[in-house]
Amino acid sequence: MPTNRQPGIRYDPVAPTLAQRLAPGTGIDAHRHDDHQIAYAARGVLAITTDAGSWVAPGNRAIWVPAGTVHAHQAHGTLELHLVGLPAGENPLGLDRPTVLAVGPLLRELIVAYTRSPGEESPERARLRAVLLDQLRASAQQPLHLPTPTAPLLRDVCALLHADPADHRTLAELGRAVGAGERTLSRLFRADLGMTFPQWRTQLRLHHALVLLAEGEPVTAVAHRCGWSSASAFIDVFRRTFGHTPGNRSDR
């Protein structure tokens, strides 16, 4: 991994293994490591942002951050953050980009236990780490990435929806607002973001929903603020995406 410094970007060669608490709305500024890192929120919702987009994870998800990736952390709700650093040569899942991973009960407890005494070196800790890596290899990858557009027309459209996720305008109507045709925008969504417009909008709404839930908003209010026609429609999409209902978060 290159070690040259980038202006405004903190360079910490070793990714730390630790547990820390972040207050709502706070975060960790953009930085990079020569190591890989696993970021897990035992409480609250964690958002990680890079130039390529953002990843948001509730309490039954972790985020894999590959070595060398410039990234920033953001806390939504009171965040109990657990970080596990791994050498660049140790990549159990062979991932070269940030990825959201499923965290089952055993992996959750392993991460929490491993970050509880980060300075300790012992045979017991080595065995704990080996089991953690075994569980990590079995973790399912989750399509919870909200990519950042690079095409100017897409940036304009996406900015409108970021400002109001409940905006129900069609792609054609949004296109008229930014001076672009529906077919052009549809093609750009696939080429620039790797997904269709409906897929991207659903990802955006789910990301906003996680943030609002972490801030204590009621489920019905979150559903309407994020553009679902009813709380039941929101709950159905949320359950299919995250494996539990928004009122049954595993970190509460």
Side-chain angles (χ1 to χ4, degrees):
M1 289 297 161
T3 57
N4 56 301
R5 295 184 181 277
Q6 297 170 260
I9 304 298
R10 191 175 79 252
Y11 169 56
D12 298 326
V14 178
T17 294
L18 55 82
Q20 65 184 119
R21 178 171 292 204
L22 297 177
T26 63
I28 301 173
D29 292 338
H31 60 286
R32 65 184 180 89
H33 312 288
D34 291 340
D35 296 336
H36 305 301
Q37 192 170 59
I38 303 162
Y40 172 69
R43 181 184 178 193
V45 170
L46 169 67
I48 285 182
T49 302
T50 75
D51 288 343
S54 61
W55 291 258
V56 178
N60 61 349
R61 301 290 187 271
I63 302 176
W64 171 268
V65 183
T69 302
V70 176
H71 62 288
H73 302 262
Q74 181 72 30
H76 298 289
T78 299
L79 186 67
E80 291 183 8
L81 179 62
H82 297 262
L83 299 172
V84 177
L86 296 173
E90 198 161 18
N91 190 335
L93 290 168
L95 298 170
D96 61 0
R97 65 187 64 187
T99 305
V100 175
L101 304 173
V103 174
L106 177 56
L107 181 54
R108 170 192 170 97
E109 295 305 318
L110 289 166
I111 291 173
V112 170
Y114 190 72
T115 57
R116 188 174 293 134
S117 305
E120 175 187 312
E121 294 298 335
S122 66
E124 291 80 5
R125 183 169 172 78
R127 289 193 292 271
L128 179 64
R129 185 176 185 275
V131 178
L132 192 158
L133 292 176
D134 281 343
Q135 287 295 305
L136 193 64
R137 290 185 186 96
S139 295
Q141 299 175 34
Q142 306 290 317
L144 299 174
H145 173 210
L146 185 67
T148 299
T150 59
L153 286 173
L154 274 194
R155 285 202 299 264
D156 291 343
V157 169
C158 293
L160 292 173
L161 297 176
H162 270 291
D164 180 14
D167 189 331
H168 286 289
R169 281 181 289 182
T170 65
L171 188 57
E173 291 168 332
L174 291 166
R176 286 194 288 273
V178 303
E182 178 181 12
R183 293 179 65 180
T184 296
L185 290 174
S186 181
R187 185 169 59 250
L188 284 173
F189 265 100
R190 289 185 174 87
D192 194 22
L193 302 181
M195 58 180 64
T196 65
F197 169 64
Q199 288 171 333
W200 187 89
R201 178 150 64 180
T202 297
Q203 289 288 300
L204 173 72
R205 288 174 170 176
L206 285 170
H207 280 221
H208 275 271
L210 284 171
V211 170
L212 292 173
L213 289 167
E215 293 172 351
E217 288 285 334
V219 170
T220 300
V222 171
H224 291 299
R225 287 183 62 182
C226 292
W228 276 277
S229 59
S230 66
S232 60
F234 165 55
I235 290 169
D236 181 60
V237 173
F238 194 98
R239 181 172 47 234
R240 283 189 279 112
T241 303
F242 297 110
H244 58 86
T245 65
N248 188 31
R249 288 274 307 285
S250 63
D251 59 323
R252 287 181 177 176

